[in-house]
Amino acid sequence: MGSMEEPSPETNYTKPLGIRFIEYIKRSNISYKTHQVIVLIVTFIAYASYHAARKTTSVVKSTLDPASDEVSLNSLPWRRRPFSWILGDGWAPFDGSDGTVLLGEIDVAFLAVYAIGMYFSGHLGDRINLRIFLTIGMVGTGVFTSLFGIGYWGSIHSFYYYLAVQMLAGLFQSTGWPSVVAVVGNWFGKKKRGLIMGIWNAHTSVGNITGSLVASALLQYGWGWSFVVPGLMIATIGLVVFLFLPVTPESVGVSEEDESDSPKKSGAEVTSPLLISSRAEVKDQPVGFIEAWKIPGVAPFALCLFFSKLVAYTFLYWLPFYISHTAIDGQYLSDAAAGNLSTLFDVGGVLGGILAGHISDRLDARAITAASFMYCAIPALFFYRSYGSISLTANVILMFITGMFVNGPYALITTAVSADLGTHSSLRGNSRALATVTAIIDGTGSVGAAIGPLLTGYISAKSWSAVFTMLMGAALIAGLLLTRLVVAEVTAKIEESRSRRGSTSRSQPAVIDV
């Protein structure tokens, strides 16, 4: 009994080499729950590395163009460039009068290719091995992130070189989100998916902070290192993904039922081979792009995320700049203090994602939870704009609350909702729609993520109040887009309550009037 169970040749073939090595050392198979832990850890680190690589451009931007630290969407959290005595006065072609415009064009190009590439990545992700697909995406991201930095040592001053490299980096970056959500969705059922994915979604903030710290620390050695090191990091983690990530329980020959007395173990009734083969046949057929759009709930949630991510990314790109240019208690904060203060928005967002996931699990109502958070974001935005300048304490509290309500539904939709819809009952057990559905939802949201900061650049030149009005309007539209789903969920809850009361009354003994 103590010897290791020999897996079938087919199962053994699909197991990652790292899993096989662990099982060889243990002399026994890894349990289902251990596989779940491995999936959460590996995908967390993987997507954190995507965000760390993505963050490098914003950190180096003020070094490439000294003027960009005043007006850039992704300015460093300090106004004067660090180590300017080493780095000189900028880097052509970004050090001219139009340097900020060129850097802005690179940002828009990256986000545009990322959004478009997301649709193709989801389509491919449901048709090939996600472990290999994710590895290729991470190694490719590392290569093109590093190539941007190599321009430093190669004395490359062609704008089109950096534009092309950044666009290709955006294309490979688009492989990440559909893949990791699909893998996590394969391993975790709907019951606690919201809470688990809400906590797991903290990888975004961890990656942003890590990328900022690594890129900033390396600037003194030359801005090229700020790209090459994060590039090498994500490529290395890509190899870890290849070695250790189990894509599905079936691919490694385990099932949740194996943890308890299942029919197979107890000798109880076994499912007919005919049913098994027909079920496998359904699962082996990937869902098309148009078919995925037709899944109930995909279109409303995708459009909702468009406006939700518009609000969230506007804060991501503009919040440090807004804080440093707004008097708080009659004083202006330095860019360093403003950058540090803005991280509280992300902290609130992490809590919001966890709360939204937990509440939606308890209520079993994703649309109600997401819409409620979006509606609550409207007064939060209003109060932050109106009263955030009264004192530093008021600013901190209101910013934290705003981050919670803005990022809560964004995190919920991109994780638990995408996983739910990718395994919707209309698919009749087909599990090969997760990546496609995730890509459609987050890809549509990424278009909003590109448009929001771009519009803010024009509107903020006239009035910050107008910017917040735009954000409140976007939050309202995001909530309204889920109205039909909210009504359906409320109706279902009422019917469920009525049926429960009816069954309770029928179960009570009748009172006979004597």
Side-chain angles (χ1 to χ4, degrees):
M1 293 295 291
S3 62
M4 175 179 170
E5 295 180 14
E6 288 295 331
S8 66
E10 182 180 357
T11 301
N12 193 47
Y13 178 76
T14 57
K15 281 187 178 182
L17 290 173
I19 298 293
R20 287 192 232 173
F21 179 74
I22 292 174
E23 291 184 337
Y24 176 78
I25 297 297
K26 286 185 62 181
R27 306 301 299 173
S28 63
N29 288 328
I30 297 175
S31 67
Y32 186 89
K33 289 184 178 179
T34 303
H35 277 100
Q36 287 181 311
V37 173
I38 292 173
V39 166
L40 287 177
I41 293 174
V42 172
T43 54
F44 185 98
I45 297 172
Y47 204 69
S49 69
Y50 271 98
H51 265 267
R54 192 179 306 172
K55 190 69 177 177
T56 54
T57 308
S58 66
V59 174
V60 178
K61 198 169 280 187
S62 65
T63 300
L64 299 176
D65 175 22
S68 70
D69 55 4
E70 296 290 342
V71 294
S72 169
L73 300 183
N74 292 313
S75 62
L76 279 169
W78 43 77
R79 186 159 297 164
R80 296 287 174 253
R81 290 181 303 140
F83 316 112
S84 58
W85 56 278
I86 295 178
L87 299 172
D89 298 321
W91 187 267
F94 306 109
D95 60 347
S97 58
D98 59 347
T100 301
V101 174
L102 295 178
L103 289 169
E105 289 177 356
I106 286 180
D107 281 345
V108 173
F110 173 88
L111 288 169
V113 173
Y114 176 80
I116 296 170
M118 189 81 72
Y119 296 118
F120 291 99
S121 295
H123 184 77
L124 288 172
D126 282 326
R127 286 159 175 78
I128 62 177
N129 189 310
L130 280 172
R131 178 168 57 90
I132 297 174
F133 185 60
L134 189 57
T135 301
I136 293 172
M138 296 179 75
V139 172
T141 298
V143 168
F144 288 102
T145 300
S146 299
L147 282 175
F148 197 106
I150 287 175
Y152 172 76
W153 294 284
S155 296
I156 299 174
H157 298 285
S158 169
F159 167 71
Y160 294 103
Y161 169 81
Y162 296 106
L163 180 67
V165 166
Q166 196 70 342
M167 289 174 71
L168 288 169
L171 181 63
F172 279 97
Q173 282 254 359
S174 68
T175 61
W177 192 242
S179 300
V180 295
V181 172
V183 172
V184 174
N186 286 334
W187 282 94
F188 293 90
K190 187 177 179 182
K191 187 175 181 182
K192 292 184 179 179
R193 183 181 281 164
L195 176 60
I196 291 171
M197 286 188 141
I199 298 171
W200 172 77
N201 193 61
H203 51 47
T204 299
S205 298
V206 171
N208 286 337
I209 294 169
T210 302
S212 296
L213 293 176
V214 171
S216 298
L218 294 171
L219 273 176
Q220 59 180 311
Y221 305 109
W223 63 262
W225 288 110
S226 297
F227 285 93
V228 171
V229 171
L232 292 174
M233 286 170 55
I234 189 172
T236 302
I237 295 171
L239 296 178
V240 174
V241 167
F242 178 77
L243 291 174
F244 290 97
L245 183 64
V247 175
T248 63
E250 294 80 11
S251 68
V252 290
V254 299
S255 64
E256 197 167 8
E257 288 75 15
D258 291 340
E259 303 296 306
S260 59
D261 292 330
S262 64
K264 289 182 181 179
K265 284 190 173 185
S266 62
E269 181 183 355
V270 180
T271 307
S272 165
L274 181 61
L275 294 177
I276 294 174
S277 62
S278 63
R279 189 181 301 136
E281 185 178 350
V282 171
K283 289 188 177 183
D284 286 338
Q285 297 175 355
V287 172
F289 183 77
I290 302 301
E291 293 176 71
W293 270 105
K294 294 178 180 179
I295 296 173
V298 169
F301 273 114
L303 294 174
C304 173
L305 188 64
F306 175 95
F307 291 98
S308 175
K309 211 166 179 180
L310 183 153
V311 178
Y313 268 62
T314 296
F315 272 89
L316 174 67
Y317 287 136
W318 280 98
L319 186 57
F321 183 88
Y322 171 75
I323 294 173
S324 65
H325 288 74
T326 302
I328 300 176
D329 196 14
Q331 297 181 341
Y332 288 91
L333 298 178
S334 66
D335 283 356
N340 293 332
L341 188 63
S342 67
T343 58
L344 291 172
F345 182 85
D346 285 324
V347 176
V350 171
L351 178 61
I354 295 172
L355 281 177
H358 179 61
I359 292 170
S360 67
D361 280 344
R362 295 295 298 271
L363 296 178
D364 192 21
R366 308 290 196 209
I368 292 175
T369 305
S372 298
F373 269 69
M374 290 312 308
Y375 290 138
C376 289
I378 298 172
L381 288 164
F382 174 79
F383 285 121
Y384 180 67
R385 171 57 182 166
S386 301
Y387 303 106
S389 59
I390 292 177
S391 67
L392 188 61
T393 302
N395 192 285
V396 167
I397 294 173
L398 292 172
M399 186 196 309
F400 183 89
I401 293 173
T402 303
M404 185 173 65
F405 286 123
V406 167
N407 282 348
Y410 159 43
L412 177 66
I413 294 171
T414 55
T415 55
V417 169
S418 296
D420 288 350
L421 295 175
T423 53
H424 194 270
S425 57
S426 64
L427 296 171
R428 293 175 301 164
N430 190 342
S431 63
R432 300 190 65 183
L434 269 169
T436 301
V437 169
T438 301
I440 287 174
I441 292 175
D442 200 52
T444 305
S446 296
V447 177
I451 293 175
L454 186 64
L455 290 176
T456 302
Y458 293 106
I459 299 173
S460 62
K462 299 180 181 179
S463 170
W464 275 106
S465 295
V467 171
F468 276 83
T469 301
M470 176 193 74
L471 296 179
M472 287 187 282
L476 176 62
I477 295 172
L480 291 175
L481 284 167
L482 297 180
T483 300
R484 186 173 60 84
L485 297 178
V486 170
V487 170
E489 286 183 350
V490 171
T491 303
K493 293 296 177 186
I494 294 173
E495 291 297 327
E496 181 183 345
S497 177
R498 285 176 178 173
S499 62
R500 190 183 298 116
R501 285 200 302 268
S503 61
T504 302
S505 62
R506 285 194 299 271
S507 64
Q508 293 177 349
V511 178
I512 302 175
D513 188 11
V514 180

